[in-house]
Amino acid sequence: MVKICCIGAGYVGGPTMAVIALKCPSIEVAVVDISKSRIAAWNSDQLPIYEPGLDNVVKQCRGKNLFFSTDVEKHVFEADIVFVSVNTPTKTRGLGAGKAADLTYWESAARMIADVSKSDKIVVEKSTVPVKTAEAIEKILTHNAKGINFQILSNPEFLAEGTAIQDLFNPDRVLIGGRETPGGQKAIQTLKEVYAHWVPEERILTTNLWSAELSKLAANAFLAQRISSVNAMSALCEATGANVKQVSFAVGTDTRIGPKFLNASVGFGGSCFQKDILNLVYICECNGLPEVAEYWKQVIKINDYQKSRFVNRVVSSMFNTVANKKIAILGFAFKKDTGDTRETPAIDVCKGLLGDKARLSIYDPQVTEDQIQRDLWMNKFDWDHPIHLQPTSPTTEKKVSVVWDAYEATKDADGVCILTEWDEFKNLDYQKIYDNMRKPAFVFDGRNIVDMDKLREIGFIVYSIGKPLDPWLKDMPAVA
């Protein structure tokens, strides 16, 4: 029986290995992590991450050919294929701080693999890593190999949170990069045979190592670029009276462009986009390509500008101050159908409002109060953010309450900010919300999900990104 071990039981490792176990019953899959609490959660009825369909997949395989364990060394020792899916955060100090990926966890994993291995292994990069990481990992493994043959493959993930299980069941492509040597090609074929259990062969792409590593960064940069492009247009739409939904629809019907990732919003979030673009920027700078680096840097600057612009719109609309006003925040996750808050635009919007001394009442159906408070007060690296989006002092914690109901969040509020496109926010009883709010009652739709005309009929003053401005807002332009 082929044995697979995955180091790292996070958003990538857990779901990916669960699907491999489901689709390949003849393969034994072990997911290992040093975090006892995380592994305990994977072995419980309450999984550590929320992803539609994941629960069902895990419960079908767990205890049969899918195992979650803290005994990292045992399972690495036994494995034929070792996936490495550890964290690769952006460095916060030292060379490349603010842009380069921190490969501390990757190096540690590689050294441990070399130490415990007694048989040949295929080591697979599953984390998003900088180009040429495989070369560094290869050096660590070969210099500590003790006669054991290691083959390094790059197999980047292209999952979208909220649809990860469907993405794994029916991927656009599976990308496998390896050395152009007989050993490297054999390793590629071995991993290809795993995915071929359910993925059509024409969707399994093979490249050299560096192309696979760069393709992941390039894909995320292109997607983020599309979001920043439509968000830049949304500002112009508001200034001219155009409707960004109509503009993006017209643009998206061009078959050369297509309709995906053209929804204007308060900004992109998630664990990958900003981190990967910063990584790309650093690689460009290191290779003497400052113009290319500056181009990609602008994608993030527009994203920060969009969040800043949203905060400015809220403050200026409400008589240029939100001090001691209750603002309801509907949605804190970076997108619907996930509890993930990494780099969510909600963090910067909330910090911006707190900087103007607002009182926040936050509701998200999948994010815990502990997570929200941690995100708002942790020392997080902020790159090139406007001053009013800088982190606030923990002494303002009393200014934030987290509730478990949208109606409770909006009760006695002066304004409502919709920051995540959860389906339930489209179907709320907005008449009831209006009746229980202070007047004038404002709705700031950061995801373009509400019916502006219906809300205006009720009596709300509505701001929706990139759409013609409410007459009220035309008299109160967003401050610089």
Side-chain angles (χ1 to χ4, degrees):
M1 178 183 261
V2 173
K3 291 191 176 184
I4 289 176
C5 172
C6 177
I7 303 172
Y11 276 89
V12 174
T16 304
M17 294 303 116
V19 169
I20 288 176
L22 181 71
K23 298 293 187 179
C24 309
S26 62
I27 294 176
E28 182 181 299
V29 181
V31 183
V32 297
D33 202 294
I34 58 173
S35 169
K36 291 181 180 177
S37 59
R38 174 158 285 216
I39 291 298
W42 279 111
N43 284 317
S44 74
D45 289 333
Q46 190 67 46
L47 301 184
I49 62 175
Y50 173 74
E51 191 66 45
L54 175 62
D55 199 60
N56 185 41
V57 173
V58 169
K59 286 177 179 172
Q60 282 187 69
C61 305
R62 194 171 58 194
K64 296 175 184 172
N65 68 323
L66 175 63
F67 305 93
F68 297 93
S69 171
T70 54
D71 195 343
V72 180
E73 294 187 1
K74 171 184 179 289
H75 289 286
V76 169
F77 171 79
E78 294 176 352
D80 304 294
I81 304 172
V82 180
F83 285 82
V84 183
S85 187
V86 296
N87 195 20
T88 51
T90 302
K91 286 182 77 173
T92 55
R93 54 176 63 87
L95 184 65
K99 299 182 194 127
D102 184 342
L103 297 180
T104 304
Y105 303 113
W106 236 112
E107 183 178 338
S108 173
R111 290 183 183 282
M112 184 271 296
I113 292 168
D115 284 346
V116 306
S117 295
K118 296 284 189 287
S119 59
D120 293 353
K121 297 194 190 306
I122 297 170
V123 179
V124 185
E125 290 179 341
K126 201 66 185 166
S127 316
T128 302
V129 293
V131 183
K132 296 287 187 179
T133 297
E135 194 168 57
I137 301 309
E138 206 169 47
K139 285 174 181 171
I140 291 169
L141 290 171
T142 52
H143 281 83
N144 293 277
K146 305 167 200 155
I148 293 164
N149 178 36
F150 292 103
Q151 289 295 334
I152 316 297
L153 299 179
S154 174
N155 176 219
E157 54 84 18
F158 296 102
L159 306 179
E161 288 184 44
T163 59
I165 298 301
Q166 277 311 115
D167 295 342
L168 286 162
F169 281 172
N170 188 29
D172 291 333
R173 77 288 201 199
V174 170
L175 183 59
I176 304 172
R179 284 288 194 185
E180 293 164 312
T181 61
Q185 294 304 298
K186 186 181 176 186
I188 287 174
Q189 186 58 36
T190 301
L191 186 56
K192 193 174 176 182
E193 286 168 6
V194 172
Y195 284 109
H197 280 79
W198 78 99
V199 181
E201 189 171 353
E202 64 271 14
R203 290 199 210 163
I204 304 176
L205 314 181
T206 60
T207 68
N208 70 30
L209 269 174
W210 328 131
S211 295
E213 289 178 333
L214 186 54
S215 293
K216 167 64 176 178
L217 296 184
N220 278 346
F222 276 50
L223 292 173
Q225 177 199 49
R226 286 173 69 92
I227 297 171
S228 281
S229 294
V230 77
N231 281 343
M233 285 296 166
S234 74
L236 187 57
C237 286
E238 290 168 27
T240 59
N243 184 322
V244 74
K245 281 219 164 180
Q246 295 172 354
V247 172
S248 62
F249 178 78
V251 169
T253 54
D254 187 325
T255 54
R256 296 166 301 175
I257 298 171
K260 293 183 178 179
F261 278 73
L262 286 181
N263 292 320
S265 71
V266 70
F268 61 71
S271 62
C272 287
F273 281 1
Q274 176 159 301
K275 183 176 77 169
D276 288 358
I277 295 171
L278 289 172
N279 207 329
L280 197 57
V281 166
Y282 183 66
I283 293 166
C284 291
E285 289 174 346
C286 289
N287 283 282
L289 301 169
E291 292 84 2
V292 181
E294 203 55 44
Y295 175 81
W296 289 111
K297 207 181 284 186
Q298 195 62 33
V299 172
I300 290 177
K301 286 186 176 179
I302 286 290
N303 197 51
D304 286 338
Y305 165 72
Q306 189 75 343
K307 292 179 281 190
S308 173
R309 204 168 69 79
F310 187 85
V311 172
N312 288 341
R313 204 50 104 171
V314 174
V315 175
S316 64
S317 301
M318 301 176 74
F319 313 104
N320 224 29
T321 179
V322 290
N324 292 316
K325 292 176 181 174
K326 179 180 177 181
I327 308 294
I329 304 293
L330 298 186
F332 199 83
F334 85 92
K335 65 186 284 193
K336 73 172 186 176
D337 292 334
T338 179
D340 196 351
T341 62
R342 290 176 290 179
E343 297 293 346
T344 175
I347 294 173
D348 286 343
V349 170
C350 288
K351 286 179 176 178
L353 294 171
L354 288 168
D356 210 83
K357 300 183 179 173
R359 292 181 297 115
L360 304 183
S361 183
I362 303 174
Y363 164 66
D364 187 288
Q366 285 297 332
V367 184
T368 65
E369 178 171 4
D370 281 352
Q371 185 64 51
I372 290 171
Q373 297 288 8
R374 193 159 57 243
D375 285 334
L376 290 179
W377 313 125
M378 70 167 56
N379 290 324
K380 172 175 110 58
F381 177 73
D382 285 313
W383 182 77
D384 204 23
H385 277 197
I387 293 297
H388 75 275
L389 293 184
Q390 293 300 318
T392 50
S393 161
T395 57
T396 57
E397 188 167 335
K398 60 181 180 296
K399 295 276 191 180
V400 176
S401 63
V402 179
V403 297
W404 286 101
D405 176 70
Y407 299 106
E408 179 63 29
T410 55
K411 187 180 178 184
D412 298 322
D414 295 86
V416 177
C417 295
I418 301 172
L419 301 183
T420 310
E421 70 280 20
W422 287 103
D423 290 337
E424 71 175 84
F425 298 156
K426 300 174 187 175
N427 304 313
L428 293 171
D429 183 343
Y430 281 98
Q431 182 67 60
K432 176 180 175 182
I433 288 173
Y434 180 80
D435 292 342
N436 288 319
M437 284 178 65
R438 295 178 68 193
K439 309 300 183 295
F442 298 85
V443 170
F444 302 94
D445 183 4
R447 296 290 178 173
N448 281 341
I449 62 169
V450 300
D451 185 325
M452 292 175 68
D453 294 334
K454 280 188 181 174
L455 263 59
R456 283 175 182 152
E457 281 175 23
I458 290 170
F460 284 105
I461 295 158
V462 185
Y463 167 68
S464 208
I465 283 179
K467 293 186 176 177
L469 294 175
D470 193 296
W472 176 288
L473 301 173
K474 285 181 182 174
D475 299 329
M476 299 183 179
V479 292

